[in-house]
């Protein structure tokens, strides 16, 4: 849970610093920072994935989970929800700079697989992904803070509430988390993390959120078929 709190604090702190400094970060620096972070995220994904002792289960989990996620349209629905928030909170003809910055940044930071996979990994005992997300969120909040001012500072609270929900949800399933389940679930998550890194590099445009149902397959496999 501490990593979720840190993520919320760093997001708000980035926005606050951006407001007071009022100086944007040069694009060449942001590209360099995101490049390094992307590499580290990719390495973290590979480290988790190679720990699997049942690659066939990992493959089957990702295939079945991705099919389900694609049928449901998880990523598309998340994007639609983000657009819904923008439409609901922004009123034409009003001075809505405050709201625009807050909503746009909130959508950027919580709509996506990273904001869900991070709390799940944290519930399993690894905070690394949320720490990486904290760096990303700090940087984006800083930039938005220089543009929109104090209106984006509450984004940290949005992160905190959203991620805490998925952390508690994952904790609810903790009695089912045997060592085998945790190992293979982390391997499935590792492949997803690698997909996120590839998207960050703009090598692919994978809808990683559609992979999320795959996380439940190792739980079902070890408790129903083994």
């Amino acid at each position: 849970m501490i990593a979720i709190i840190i993520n919320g604090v760093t997001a708000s702190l980035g926005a606050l610093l951006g407001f007071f400094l009022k100086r944007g970060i040069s694009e060449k620096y942001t590209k360099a920072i995101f490049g390094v972070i992307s590499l580290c995220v990719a390495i973290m994904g590979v480290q988790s994935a190679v720990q699997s002792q049942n690659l066939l289960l990992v493959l089957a989990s990702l295939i079945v989970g991705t099919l389900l996620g694609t049928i449901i349209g998880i990523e598309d629905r998340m994007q639609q929800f983000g657009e819904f928030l923008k439409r609901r909170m922004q009123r034409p003809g009003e001075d809505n700079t405050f709201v625009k910055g807050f909503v746009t940044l909130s959508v950027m930071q919580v709509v996506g697989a990273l904001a869900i996979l991070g709390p799940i990994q944290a519930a399993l005992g690894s905070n690394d992904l949320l720490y990486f997300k904290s760096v990303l969120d700090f940087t984006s909040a800083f930039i938005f803070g220089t543009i929109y001012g104090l209106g984006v500072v509450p984004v940290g609270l949005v992160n905190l509430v959203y991620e805490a929900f998925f952390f508690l949800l994952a904790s609810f399933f903790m009695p089912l988390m045997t060592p085998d389940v945790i190992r293979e679930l982390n391997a499935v998550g590792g492949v997803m993390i690698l997909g996120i890194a590839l998207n960050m590099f703009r090598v692919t445009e994978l809808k990683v959120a559609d992979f999320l149902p795959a996380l439940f397959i190792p739980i079902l496999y070890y408790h129903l078929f083994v």
Side-chain angles (χ1 to χ4, degrees):
M1 192 67 179
I2 184 65
I4 293 175
I5 296 173
I6 290 174
N7 191 187
V9 170
T10 53
S12 290
L13 181 61
L16 199 60
L17 287 176
F19 169 73
F20 284 116
L21 296 179
K22 291 289 185 182
R23 301 171 71 180
I25 302 177
S26 173
E27 185 178 355
K28 68 176 182 179
Y29 295 121
T30 59
K31 283 186 175 180
I33 293 170
F34 285 140
V36 171
I37 294 172
S38 300
L39 280 173
C40 292
V41 171
I43 292 170
M44 185 168 58
V46 172
Q47 283 181 330
S48 296
V50 298
Q51 292 178 9
S52 172
Q53 294 181 14
N54 193 338
L55 286 175
L56 186 59
L57 173 61
V58 173
L59 177 60
S61 297
L62 286 164
I63 291 174
V64 174
T66 302
L67 284 173
L68 289 173
T70 303
I71 291 171
I72 298 170
I74 296 175
E75 180 137 334
D76 290 339
R77 291 180 185 276
M78 292 175 76
Q79 294 295 336
Q80 290 168 5
F81 178 67
E83 292 301 319
F84 169 77
L85 286 180
K86 288 183 181 180
R87 290 194 302 269
R88 291 288 294 178
M89 298 186 69
Q90 295 177 15
R91 298 179 181 178
E94 291 185 0
D95 183 10
N96 56 6
T97 302
F98 180 101
V99 174
K100 180 180 179 181
F102 171 69
V103 174
T104 302
L105 186 59
S106 296
V107 170
M108 283 177 57
Q109 295 192 359
V110 303
V111 174
L114 202 61
I116 297 175
L117 192 58
I120 292 175
Q121 292 279 3
L124 296 175
S126 175
N127 293 324
D128 292 348
L129 192 56
L130 278 178
Y131 290 148
F132 279 115
K133 184 177 182 294
S134 296
V135 177
L136 286 171
D137 290 350
F138 176 88
T139 305
S140 60
F142 180 92
I143 295 171
F144 269 68
T146 64
I147 300 171
Y148 295 104
L150 290 176
V152 299
V153 173
V155 72
L157 181 60
V158 176
N159 270 293
L160 182 62
V161 173
Y162 188 85
E163 293 171 2
F165 170 77
F166 288 102
F167 178 87
L168 293 173
L169 184 63
S171 299
F172 176 78
F173 288 100
M174 197 56 66
L176 301 176
M177 298 299 176
T178 65
D180 287 334
V181 171
I182 292 175
R183 184 188 63 246
E184 301 307 325
L185 192 151
N186 279 329
V188 172
V191 176
M192 294 173 62
I193 294 169
L194 182 58
I196 291 171
L198 291 174
N199 285 347
M200 291 170 69
F201 280 124
R202 297 184 180 178
V203 174
T204 60
E205 294 182 357
L206 297 170
K207 293 186 176 182
V208 181
D210 288 345
F211 299 0
L212 289 170
L215 296 172
F216 294 96
I217 306 300
I219 301 174
L220 296 175
Y221 174 78
Y222 279 105
H223 287 284
L224 296 179
F225 303 107
V226 177

